[in-house]
Amino acid sequence: MIVRLILWRLFQLTVIIGALVVVSLVTVLNPVRCAPDCMGADLAGSSLNGANLSEVNLVESNLARTTLERAALAGADLSGSSVTDAILLNADLSGTELVGANFSNSDLRGVTLFGADLSGANLSGANLTSVDLRGAVSLHGLLLTDALLVEANLAQTDLSGVDLSGSNLSGANLSGANLSGANLSGASLSGANLSGADLSGAWLNLVDLTGADLTGASLAGATLIGSTLASVVFNGANLSGVAAIGANFDGADLRGATISGARFLVSTITDLDLQVDPLFAALRENEFNQVLRNARLKGVRFDDTVVWSPDSKTALESLLGFELVLPVTTEVSDVGGIDLGTVVPARYEGAIAMAGSAMVYPLTRAIADKFEAAGYPGTLSIAITDTGSSLVRLCEARDLDLVNAGRLITAEERAICAENAHEPVGLRVGTDAVVVVVHPRNEFLRNASLDELRRIFTAKNWFDVNPRWPRQPIERFVPSAGSSARTFFEQTVGVTEEELSSASNTIMSDDMVALGAALANTPYGIAFLDYAAFQANIDAIQTIRVAGVAANYQNVEAGRYIMARPLYLYADTATLRRKPQVAAFIAFYLRQANAASQEIGIFPPSETVLRTSAAALQTALATDANK
């Protein structure tokens, strides 16, 4: 009897164990009941370790707090899914669609991402230590704020415009990566390999780059305010136009680097430097002042190719700790890696006659002043007219050497030049923008479409445009008729000169800085100004978005901001050969464009823009030489 009972119990135990084995096999082979179509499924908190989810549709599913260690997700579609606070150690995500997926605060160490599409994915706070992202199909729009990317491999990847603020990239491989316009402020990049990387226009404020390798990297127009750059290798790097106020360069190697227009001194800081990066807004005033006082250049290694600014000689010597011997009259004209020769303004004679758009005049005037200060003995005249008539004069009257153009040359204008045996060459030299501004207490208008702007600048009351807006008259401040900013606004918004001028409660002036100041005392007012005028009133007025896009460097450079205005310089190729002083001035212009743009309050040209313009000049000179 006892033996029978024991045998029965053994039989029951065998059945239970068998059932458990079957359940386990089913779970492994079919881990979720909804497979293969789990679109919108709620799997939050599930344990799916080692699960086979290959090719499964998990679009917009909830996988928050799931454990997916060693899970096979190859070819799966997780677009728009929530995978926050999940564990994916050593998971296979090769070929996976991760567009817009949210992996914030998840552990992704050891994952395979070859062929994965991470466009618009959110990996903020995620742990990607040692992860290889090189094989990912797309990283466009990826969010990596506060992510852990220690020793990650991002070599040759396209991270342009990506937000990496606050992330830890210590020891990471970013060699040859495209980080132009990226936000790396507050990140740690100590010991990182950034050799050959493109960081032009990037935010690198309050960044730790101690011991990083930036050999041959391009940082043109980047901001490095308050960053630690101790022992960084900048051999052959392009730092032209960088804002490095308060940066610590102790022991950095600048041999072969280009630093023309670079700003190291507190006196050179501008509102534009501080306005665009929200990191500065979080600092208390005493903290920010300490950042600016931290500037150090002691122990920096450099050679004769590094040209320091003569205007800041005394201040630079105090930072370097020794006396500088500076070439006073020589300007080395290497632009974007293109050698335009060495320009010594004092060696050139003769006159240079220029005319054209008022949009370009401030930039051209600033650079012309520098050219004359560097020793140019000739006459340099600049008249404000308009782009069209000046281009005709360049090719027909032949009384101009250069034209300041607020737009590209038209087909008709180019035909006129061809009829007169002239070949105009256009060089982009910068970007200005028209901004729409309101009183800082205006809480109802943060964004306006072009149609709304047309009505705002012609209607009588705010509620006439939108019934939810105040029942108050619209008080407008606009530039005078015929000004370049007004003409551009009229063409972009689709409003006529007469409509603007005849609208009630409209104040017009040639002085846009004064218009901005007047708006500061008008709670229900609105104005459109050029960017420099806004900068002059930045503490008293605020910009709004136009068609959903803010007026900042990244949007302007990418062409997203509709009211950005590219600035051009036009010359005739025959004139370049006949008048060497004109060719020399243009080479000087391109070399100074970045720094001068920041000085006058417009957007500096990117490295790519300058390289294209330098190549066009070089080609024009070579073409003429062969005729």
Side-chain angles (χ1 to χ4, degrees):
M1 186 71 179
I2 294 175
V3 173
R4 284 183 182 179
L5 182 60
I6 292 172
L7 291 173
W8 174 247
R9 293 298 185 192
L10 287 172
F11 173 74
Q12 288 180 315
L13 182 60
T14 301
V15 171
I16 291 170
I17 292 172
L20 288 173
V21 170
V22 170
V23 170
S24 297
L25 287 172
V26 169
T27 300
V28 171
L29 295 173
N30 187 19
V32 287
R33 294 181 179 179
C34 57
D37 188 358
C38 295
M39 183 175 180
D42 187 356
L43 300 169
S46 300
S47 177
L48 298 170
N49 294 334
N52 184 1
L53 296 166
S54 299
E55 307 292 338
V56 173
N57 180 5
L58 290 159
V59 172
E60 296 183 355
S61 59
N62 184 2
L63 289 158
R65 303 180 308 284
T66 55
T67 56
L68 288 153
E69 291 188 41
R70 302 177 309 283
L73 289 150
D77 192 343
L78 284 86
S79 299
S81 60
S82 175
V83 202
T84 59
D85 301 291
I87 299 173
L88 292 98
L89 289 169
N90 301 309
D92 183 4
L93 295 167
S94 55
T96 307
E97 290 291 330
L98 303 171
V99 178
N102 187 355
F103 283 85
S104 58
N105 302 314
S106 291
D107 192 341
L108 295 158
R109 287 174 295 169
V111 297
T112 302
L113 290 164
F114 185 82
D117 189 343
L118 287 151
S119 302
N122 181 358
L123 276 76
S124 57
N127 188 343
L128 291 143
T129 299
S130 300
V131 168
D132 190 341
L133 286 159
R134 291 174 300 172
V137 171
S138 174
L139 303 174
H140 181 70
L142 185 62
L143 185 63
L144 284 163
T145 56
D146 301 310
L148 196 60
L149 289 151
V150 175
E151 297 183 354
N153 196 339
L154 293 147
Q156 305 296 327
T157 53
D158 185 358
L159 294 162
S160 54
V162 168
D163 192 347
L164 288 144
S165 57
S167 59
N168 188 343
L169 288 143
S170 301
N173 184 1
L174 291 148
S175 59
N178 180 3
L179 289 152
S180 58
N183 183 1
L184 288 149
S185 290
S188 174
L189 287 149
S190 58
N193 181 1
L194 289 147
S195 58
D198 184 357
L199 290 148
S200 55
W203 295 350
L204 290 152
N205 302 310
L206 301 179
V207 165
D208 182 5
L209 277 155
T210 303
D213 183 0
L214 282 115
T215 301
S218 174
L219 292 97
T223 56
L224 293 145
I225 298 171
S227 293
T228 302
L229 308 167
S231 302
V232 172
V233 179
F234 286 109
N235 294 163
N238 184 358
L239 285 84
S240 57
V242 300
I245 298 98
N248 181 347
F249 280 83
D250 276 3
D253 191 345
L254 288 166
R255 287 176 294 182
T258 302
I259 64 167
S260 176
R263 294 177 290 129
F264 302 98
L265 310 178
V266 175
S267 60
T268 62
I269 199 164
T270 68
D271 292 327
L272 181 60
D273 295 325
L274 308 179
Q275 160 191 359
V276 292
D277 194 339
L279 186 64
F280 292 124
L283 295 177
R284 293 190 296 272
E285 184 176 357
N286 62 328
E287 293 175 325
F288 181 67
N289 290 335
Q290 184 59 49
V291 166
L292 299 185
R293 288 194 295 268
N294 286 339
R296 295 184 66 183
L297 290 168
K298 289 182 172 61
V300 168
R301 289 185 290 169
F302 60 95
D303 54 23
D304 292 341
T305 64
V306 177
V307 181
W308 301 90
S309 171
D311 298 334
S312 309
K313 183 176 185 292
T314 302
L316 285 169
E317 286 175 344
S318 69
L319 294 176
L320 287 163
F322 56 85
E323 184 177 353
L324 279 172
V325 179
L326 300 175
V328 179
T329 60
T330 301
E331 174 71 22
V332 180
S333 292
D334 176 275
V335 179
I338 295 176
D339 184 9
L340 296 179
T342 300
V343 175
V344 182
R347 295 178 183 171
Y348 295 91
E349 298 177 347
I352 302 175
M354 291 179 279
S357 172
M359 292 164 51
V360 196
Y361 176 83
L363 179 60
T364 299
R365 180 73 269 171
I367 295 174
D369 290 344
K370 293 175 184 289
F371 195 63
E372 291 175 327
Y376 176 60
T379 302
L380 207 159
S381 62
I382 312 172
I384 298 177
T385 54
D386 63 86
T387 298
S389 64
S390 297
L391 285 168
V392 171
R393 286 176 61 187
L394 180 74
C395 293
E396 278 190 341
R398 305 185 184 185
D399 60 346
L400 289 179
D401 301 310
L402 294 170
V403 172
N404 293 320
R407 57 170 173 78
L408 287 168
I409 188 171
T410 65
E412 292 78 10
E413 290 162 346
R414 192 172 288 280
I416 291 172
C417 291
E419 290 172 4
N420 289 276
H422 283 281
E423 185 180 352
V425 55
L427 311 168
R428 185 173 169 185
V429 292
T431 309
D432 195 5
V434 168
V435 293
V436 180
V437 289
V438 295
H439 192 277
R441 290 209 301 267
N442 185 321
E443 297 180 354
F444 61 88
L445 186 61
R446 290 289 181 267
N447 173 63
S449 67
L450 293 181
D451 181 62
E452 285 175 325
L453 286 178
R454 182 185 61 77
R455 289 183 286 152
I456 287 169
F457 278 92
T458 53
K460 183 178 180 180
N461 302 298
W462 284 105
F463 72 87
D464 293 332
V465 181
N466 187 322
R468 291 173 297 187
W469 291 350
R471 301 182 70 84
Q472 295 286 339
I474 303 172
E475 299 181 71
R476 288 166 277 257
F477 301 87
V478 304
S480 298
S483 70
S484 60
R486 176 160 169 171
T487 301
F488 181 77
F489 181 86
E490 291 168 350
Q491 293 171 343
T492 305
V493 174
V495 62
T496 67
E497 180 182 312
E498 183 180 353
E499 286 175 321
L500 276 183
S501 297
S502 61
S504 60
N505 299 319
T506 298
I507 294 174
M508 292 177 281
S509 172
D510 291 326
D511 189 343
M512 282 186 276
V513 174
L515 289 174
L519 173 65
N521 298 311
T522 313
Y524 291 103
I526 189 168
F528 62 86
L529 314 169
D530 63 29
Y531 199 78
F534 163 64
Q535 287 290 302
N537 291 282
I538 193 170
D539 294 329
I541 56 180
Q542 65 183 14
T543 62
I544 67 168
R545 294 172 179 262
V546 176
V549 181
N552 57 40
Y553 179 87
Q554 284 73 22
N555 290 333
V556 166
E557 192 58 37
R560 291 187 290 265
Y561 185 66
I562 196 169
M563 289 194 179
R565 307 185 294 176
L567 309 179
Y568 299 91
L569 204 63
Y570 274 91
D572 175 53
T573 52
T575 301
L576 295 176
R577 179 181 59 176
R578 190 175 67 255
K579 295 184 176 182
Q581 73 271 27
V582 177
F585 176 70
I586 296 176
F588 185 92
Y589 197 120
L590 295 177
R591 197 70 181 85
Q592 295 289 334
N594 202 298
S597 294
Q598 297 183 67
E599 289 170 9
I600 66 172
I602 65 174
F603 295 98
S606 68
E607 180 77 0
T608 301
V609 166
L610 288 175
R611 185 184 302 115
T612 301
S613 294
L617 175 61
Q618 192 177 59
T619 300
L621 291 169
T623 301
D624 280 337
N626 293 327
K627 285 184 178 180

